[in-house]
Amino acid sequence: MEEEGEAPVAASRPATGMNPSSRPGTQASRTGVTSSRPGTGLAKSRPATGLGKSRPSTGLGSRPATGLKSRPVTGGSKVGSRPASVKSAKVWKENETGSSPRSEDLNSDDEELLINRDEVEKGCWHSFSHCVGGMWSTREILVSEDKEIFVRTTIRELILYVIFLIVLSIVTFMMTSPTHYYYTKVMKDIFNQQPEVKNVGEFWEFMEEQFLDGVHWEYWYHDGDARLYICPGGEEATGPCPIAASDRNILYENRLLGLPRLRQLRVTNQSCEIHRDFQNAIKNCWAPYSPSIEDKSDFPPTYREKTSLTAWRYQTSEEMNTDSQIYATAGKVGRYSGNGAVQNLHSVKNESQAILHELKEALWISRSTRAIIVDFTVYNANINLFCIVNFLFEFPATGGVIASNSFKTVKLLRYVSYLDYFIMACEFIYIMFIIYYIVEETLEIIKVGFPYFRSMFNMLDIFVVILSTMNQCLNIYAYIAMEAELTALLGDPDSYADFEGLGQVAEMFKSFVAICVFFSWVKLFKYISFNKTMTQLASTIDRCIGDILGFSIMFFIVFFAFAQLGYLLFGTQVNDFSTFDSAIFTLLRTILGDFDFYSIEAANRILGPIFFLCYVFFVFFVLLNMFLAIINDTYSEVKAEIAAQRNEFELGDYLKRGYNNMLGKVGMRNKLLDIENALKLANADGEITYEEVRQNMKKCNFSDMEIEMFFAKYDLDGDGIFSMDEGNQIINDLDADNIDREKNRPKSGKQPNSRHNSVVAITGNINHEEFGMLNSRVERMEGVIDNIVGKIDSVLSKLEAMERSKNKRKANMSKILDGFTMNPEMNEEEKRRQVEDLFNTWDSESRPTTSGDAI
């Protein structure tokens, strides 16, 4: 202040016409004069009036001395004690003084606003590209450490994936219905004697009776004895009325497509080794079936009338122009190729019966026969379903017949009704989702690199994408192949309709879709596991997988030992132990309580019960319960660790925050929930700082005063960081809903009232008593503020009076100096005394009064 007061004095002296050099020693001899003259330099820095523009320099410059910053209500003491890194003090000064903030006093939010304001506006292409690029933003690609952005990205991924899951469910579940099962059951009931065929005689009996009756429906169900009733065609008939050839459907509803076909596979003679002791007695030997020993020679009969040459001649699947070679027929004994000798039946029952009779009489089945396959396909237009029927009769080397069947009920004509076209639209959306996820996974692999493949959920993403792609490829192939097959069938209706390949593709399509749906639902754990409660399953499995794998070695050693023992003991007599695979699954079923004790007891009355008791004790009671103990112990540890983890901002918190924002639209916002979420977001890095809490609370429309009051209440040490004890206090108050209780009020008037005021500002929910108390406090505060404002005005008025008196003394001084310089007759001694008297008089007049000193 001394240097600021001296500079203007020197600048104001030239107006008097006096040379400063003619006054030697004046400044040195009176060193204290300048410092005691606060108004000396105002002549040049102020306008002549001294009223309008004098306040900024005299009033605002001296305001800090008035005590405005130390008001208890503002919590200024806390602000002053906060570390320099905390930016609250700058914000608080702006709120208190109301002056224009300087550029260096702007906080980070203001700087961002200014920068955004000066940014060049982006074009439509930038907005479009930014939006499109954000479509593939995932948690793996995201580089931001903001917990809220992480949760928002997770929710966006979850919503998008739920839509994908809904579309996938519509596409898959609308392709099947209970009608598929009932249609299959009806067709099985028509040919229910087929599985009971045990020898060659029963085979021909089944083919000539139940099979022909089930395939050919040429008459109505009535007896036709009463001549009073005329047949539908108008003709009289003896017996049941005939059905028109175009309406001869199985069960009157199912159209037989093309003609049924019989195909036989044979093996060559001498295809097996005969023991030397029996070589003289046994000359012929036919081994079990194998494609390498198929008999490719012709075996024509001595007489043929109804059958075709192909029934007695070996053909490959290429010669027959079928897909059976690609899709081999699996039976109980082996797998059979699509080659062989084939015979098509007729569309008329009598002709089909004659063909079967000729095959039977000509000994079409011989010792070299290893399999006979009967194929036909029916279509029901009422429900738009195909049923591809396959009867397999295996003739093993042991003799006899093992019969099995396959009924594939599929929907090959996909788009017929309006609902089907809706499903087609969903399939297009499904394909778009597949393309979207292919791009997304590709970007994640490029971004993350090799560590991408270390995540189980990432591998699951790739697996779902691959299955979905295969599903649509099979769907498109089936559609194209079906159109070609129907075109060929309609061109030649009296031929065999080969739908076996399409049936296999349809079955593969259903299998892949089912697996895809399963893993797609499992993939939901990728998103809901964001919540720490949902991670218990994955964490438990991940934690105990090592112990389980180690113990599994001991378990399967014992388990396979029992499986081998059961297979060797009971394999020749009990069907459940007839093969080693069957023995394994039988013992697994035993663990679940599904077992046939009496069959193994009948097989071996001594070892059977011993085997059963030992297996139940060692495997069920000991080993299996050790598995459960390992999992249960690990689950307890994981649950305890999760309970001890710090409370983070989770998916459920984000949803509750969105719900709270909607309540805020109708004035029902719960600000306690906003405080809790702000603390969780700030605690993402394990440390809750003032700036983090401030940024999060500002997003919830909290004012700076509310934030300062909240920190003033809980930041007891004033370091701008919530310690463990302070955080526990906040958590306890939030859990007990105790933030707005009366016990938090200050005990003395000297203590800042920010704690209770923060409650009022934050919670927004008080009773009438608290409202009256707060109202009275506001009134008292207004009175204090009015008193302070009055004092400030009084000080400003006194400063203005001082300014006017100084201007007056300045004018008098100028007159004296003018008179002094105009008297040339005075000697040097008289001039010196006159100057000293003049300065003494001016010094006594310009000395501030008592009130001025106080000011």
Side-chain angles (χ1 to χ4, degrees), residues 22 156 227 298 359 604 655 762 792:
S22 63
R156 185 190 61 80
R227 296 295 183 90
D298 297 340
L359 292 175
N604 195 315
L655 297 177
I762 294 172
I792 293 174

Side-chain angles (χ1 to χ4, degrees), residues 268-281:
T268 59
N269 190 11
Q270 303 298 328
S271 56
C272 55
E273 295 288 338
I274 301 176
H275 195 272
R276 61 179 180 271
D277 294 339
F278 291 95
Q279 288 179 355
N280 294 329

